[in-house]
Amino acid sequence: MLLEGKVAIITGGSRGIGKATAIKLANLGAKIIVNYTNRLEAANEVVNIIKDNNGEAITVKADVSNISEVKDMMKFAVDTYGSIDILVNNAGVTKDTLILRMNEEDWDKVINTNLKGAFNCIKEASRYMIKNKYGKIVNVSSVIGVIGNIGQANYAASKAGIIGLTKSAAKEFASRGINVNAVAPGFIDTEMTQVLKDEIRNEMLKAIPLGRFGTPEDVSDVIAFLVLPYSDYITGQVIHIDGGMVM
């Protein structure tokens, strides 16, 4: 298997894109750290799926916005499996409302989790990757970080920030054998979109040339490509996975 012997940390790995990515990379042979903050039962379910398919996985509770907890998570991964080869920064939250109604707490929560969390994880994981002169980092951005959206100023800012973070980290770590890329999913059929009213979902579909919502697996397949040897000459890129929504 192409990722046999590799160790992958998936933040926000208990559901949606994170869950699909954890299962995909495990099927390719990687040992998986499923990070979660509150959803232990869901995280355990992901681990059980992986183990049922003869893979290796373990859960780790950590708030990615807390640097101390991130440090402990990275150390635990190395103590348990011996290295950190792959990092997928997927953890994210939304607190949607118009700018005039948005309070400071909702702004800070989204920025701290989505953007600061990715920074914290890159900073701490890269310490171990540099020692091994190898690493693959994939940051989950969003098309909203590219085009913006009404009522999502905090989310858009955090996801736009991830794009800048990706490009800067790619330049800093290229000489150390570490590739850093990002994916920018469009409207993916996860818990976030399933709660939307039918009329809103129908309007969204009109903006997608391929005529359907994406699946978590559509995103995890691209993430898998970016951590496989096939992508060794790719770094600092942002790949849109949006059915043609943003061209």
Side-chain angles (χ1 to χ4, degrees), residues 94-111:
T94 57
K95 295 285 184 178
D96 297 348
T97 192
L98 297 173
I99 290 173
L100 291 176
R101 297 176 183 170
M102 187 176 294
N103 58 46
E104 185 177 4
E105 181 182 354
D106 287 346
W107 173 271
D108 288 346
K109 176 65 175 178
V110 172
I111 297 296

Side-chain angles (χ1 to χ4, degrees), residues 9-14 33-37 60-64 73 91:
I9 295 178
I10 317 296
T11 70
S14 65
I33 304 289
V34 179
N35 161 255
Y36 73 99
T37 304
V60 177
K61 181 178 182 179
D63 178 353
V64 295
M73 175 171 64

Side-chain angles (χ1 to χ4, degrees), residues 60-238:
V60 177
K61 181 178 182 179
D63 178 353
V64 295
S65 70
N66 185 311
I67 190 66
S68 178
E69 293 187 23
V70 169
K71 286 181 179 179
D72 289 344
M73 175 171 64
M74 300 302 171
K75 183 177 185 300
F76 176 81
V78 173
D79 289 346
T80 303
Y81 288 134
S83 66
I84 300 171
D85 305 294
I86 297 164
L87 169 65
V88 179
N89 282 311
N90 170 73
V93 297
T94 57
K95 295 285 184 178
D96 297 348
T97 192
L98 297 173
I99 290 173
L100 291 176
R101 297 176 183 170
M102 187 176 294
N103 58 46
E104 185 177 4
E105 181 182 354
D106 287 346
W107 173 271
D108 288 346
K109 176 65 175 178
V110 172
I111 297 296
N112 287 342
T113 301
N114 300 5
L115 181 55
K116 182 183 176 184
F119 164 77
N120 285 342
C121 291
I122 291 171
K123 180 177 180 178
E124 295 307 318
S126 65
R127 298 182 191 277
Y128 298 97
M129 292 176 173
I130 287 170
K131 291 179 182 178
N132 295 329
K133 298 181 180 179
Y134 176 87
K136 297 273 193 169
I137 298 173
V138 181
N139 301 316
V140 180
S141 181
S142 169
V143 295
I144 300 304
V146 178
I147 63 174
N149 197 30
I150 294 170
Q152 289 192 299
N154 48 3
Y155 184 76
S158 71
K159 293 301 186 177
I162 283 177
I163 292 173
L165 174 62
T166 297
K167 293 179 179 293
S168 297
K171 290 182 176 181
E172 288 190 24
F173 295 133
S175 63
R176 306 301 185 94
I178 301 171
N179 299 62
V180 187
N181 291 290
V183 294
F187 292 115
I188 307 300
D189 200 8
T190 64
E191 290 181 21
M192 283 188 182
T193 56
Q194 287 167 358
V195 298
L196 297 174
K197 295 180 180 178
D198 288 342
E199 55 265 33
I200 295 176
R201 288 171 63 90
N202 290 335
E203 284 300 311
M204 288 178 174
L205 283 173
K206 291 178 183 178
I208 304 172
L210 287 183
R212 68 171 179 87
F213 286 107
T215 68
E217 289 73 24
D218 286 326
V219 182
S220 66
D221 284 347
V222 178
I223 292 173
F225 167 75
L226 290 172
V227 304
L228 285 166
Y230 306 130
S231 65
D232 283 351
Y233 201 55
I234 299 173
T235 197
Q237 303 304 305
V238 183

